[in-house]
Amino acid sequence: MRLSGFATGMDINQMVQDLMKAERMPLNKLEQRKTQTQWRIDQFREINVKLDQFRNNTFDNVMRRSTMMANKIVSSQPSLVTATGSSSTLEGSLRLTEVKSLATAASNASTSRVGQQLSVSGKLSEQQLDADNVWTRGVVNRETVTVQQSQSSISLNRELGNPESTVVRVNGVSYKVVEEGFDGELTATQVMLDRETNTLVFGQELARNARVEVVTAREDENGTDLFSMNNIETKAKDGSTVTDRFLITGDQSMNDVMQMMNRSKVGVSAFYDTGTDRVSIVRDETGIYNEGGAEMTFSGSFFREALKLDEANERAGTNAVFTINGLETHRQSNTFSVNGMAITLHETFSGRDVSLTVQRDTDKVMDTIKAFVEEYNNLIDLVQGRISEEAFRAFPPLTEEERRDLTEREAELWDEKAMSGLLRNDSILRGGMDRFRVQMYSSVQGTGSDFRQLAQIGITTTSDFRSGGKLEINEDRLRAAIEQDAEGVYQLFAADGAAESEKGLARRLRDSANGMIESISRRAGGLRGRTVNQQFTLGREINNIEDRMSAFERRMQQVEQRYWSQFTAMEKAVAKANAQAETFFAQMFSGM
């Protein structure tokens, strides 16, 4: 039992709190040390993230030939013909003297009105379609299964129909449906129906979380559903036939049907025009794929009778026909490749020369190098700032009680001072930056180019010695170097020789960044799989501090209990003395 000032009149609670505040001062020091350590971890990790980005961007930019050796194609008449190039584009020029025709896509449309101003969102069974015998009455079953693990077969709850009246889609992609016992081996785009066990067997493993949709129908005069089975066939570039099946039900809308067609693997785009009350459909691919025949074939009562789609009404697609370097040729698309050029035809013309000339894309190469230098300078800014910033030892991290006594702005200014200088003169960071500077300024041997140092292409260190070795670019000299020897500039950054002296500057920096990232990760974690405190130095230091804090807290509980015991004993003694005094005075006054 604790007695608080009952006999003495003293505020024992406040006295114990004041005593414990003094006792807990070492604990506050540990808490501040833990906070500083966590701040150091955060600052190290910030640098490591920037190093990792720099390393990856270096590989994707100045070390990539397709970027550093980029070409561009200059067209003499870009309104007629344009082209793009890459590092693999052959030097030289091409000349187009005629474009007889551009490639167009085959199209089709309803031969007459499909109804009386249909509602695009209303049920088809309730629309006034200008056709008879569109629907079949029966039962339509729909089932959707999400694959829980990689597998090639699925058991269904509902009874399966026959292949001609079943549609199977996996993640929206249709599969060709066959029945058990078919002759041949299942391909990756086929699925077999086992109607005895209500099982689908695929020709490939389905990935986990794949969404399998199964729609099957059967005729039944007493059925409650209206449905129509329909197909679309198109020709692929390789001459093969692509077929998709559509089971259309009366409860769907015209919008639903158009969406099904547009998502289909047959590669068409369809829409219903309310103005003319007709459906228009066009192939996604331009060009001729079925010489002398229809590009799109429709079957099924809904497509042929209701939508009135007939291949006889097809407007044929055309190939692009043009003359290049004196040779008349054709392509199925208006964009095609010749000698590594991606050429695009925009207009037909005759009797005019359009030249396409390959040139080095100096601006793109310069932008790549400038981005590399800017990122390098930003990294120098960050690291140099950390290792040189002033440390304010008189500003330790605030305790919760101290923070409550300050305004938000005062606490913010204090934190800025407290966080400053935590990585001052850190050996890992200083050593890493020293290596960066040495490698950036060293010459590159064995490339066969006159460019062996950055200064030769107009990149030098700034005159401010306090900047930590930041770079600056003389754009005129850099542009001249690229135009003179783009391969030499590329090799200066990306050469991959056997010896260190034969490696390009960016490759050296990337290797050093790897080593620096590893060292920082061993110190502060965050990368290279070090996510648990026990896996890196500062994390183990935090664990040690927390263990000491826990032990100290247990000891503080004992100290506080001792103080209360002492004060309670004092209260009891004073209370007893007071009682004795009262008895003495009572006896003395009673005898008078």
Side-chain angles (χ1 to χ4, degrees), residues 22 56 70 191 225 236 252 263 332 345 374 428 458 475 553 577:
N56 294 336
V191 59
D225 296 312
Q252 291 178 303
R263 290 178 175 177
Q332 291 170 319
L345 306 178
E374 181 179 3
I428 293 177
E475 294 193 15
E553 282 284 5

Side-chain angles (χ1 to χ4, degrees), residues 54-71 86-88 360-361 364-366 368-369 372 486-487 489-496 504 506-507 510:
F54 176 74
R55 177 191 61 179
N56 294 336
N57 290 342
T58 296
F59 179 77
D60 291 336
N61 293 305
V62 292
M63 289 178 61
R64 193 176 291 277
R65 175 175 286 276
S66 59
T67 303
M68 291 290 284
M69 298 295 291
N71 290 321
S86 66
S87 60
S88 61
R360 183 70 61 203
D361 195 345
K364 183 175 182 179
V365 178
M366 282 193 64
T368 300
I369 295 174
F372 166 78
E487 177 69 26
V489 173
Y490 167 65
Q491 293 297 334
L492 179 63
F493 287 98
D496 190 19
R507 194 173 297 277
R510 193 166 186 269

Side-chain angles (χ1 to χ4, degrees), residues 409-480:
R409 179 56 178 165
E410 288 172 338
E412 182 181 338
L413 293 173
W414 186 286
D415 287 342
E416 288 180 6
K417 293 287 184 68
M419 292 181 184
S420 179
L422 294 179
L423 303 185
R424 183 177 177 83
N425 289 324
D426 180 81
S427 59
I428 293 177
L429 302 182
R430 187 171 291 281
M433 289 298 99
D434 287 344
R435 284 192 297 275
F436 270 29
R437 282 188 287 270
V438 169
Q439 290 172 339
M440 188 65 87
Y441 308 148
S442 299
S443 64
V444 178
Q445 306 295 326
T447 64
S449 170
D450 292 335
F451 298 143
R452 299 181 180 180
Q453 291 183 313
L454 279 178
Q456 293 176 286
I457 63 171
I459 302 176
T460 56
T461 56
T462 63
S463 57
D464 183 1
F465 68 92
R466 294 169 299 182
S467 66
K470 292 172 64 174
L471 302 175
E472 59 184 7
I473 300 175
N474 182 317
E475 294 193 15
D476 291 337
R477 290 188 61 190
L478 177 59
R479 180 179 294 277

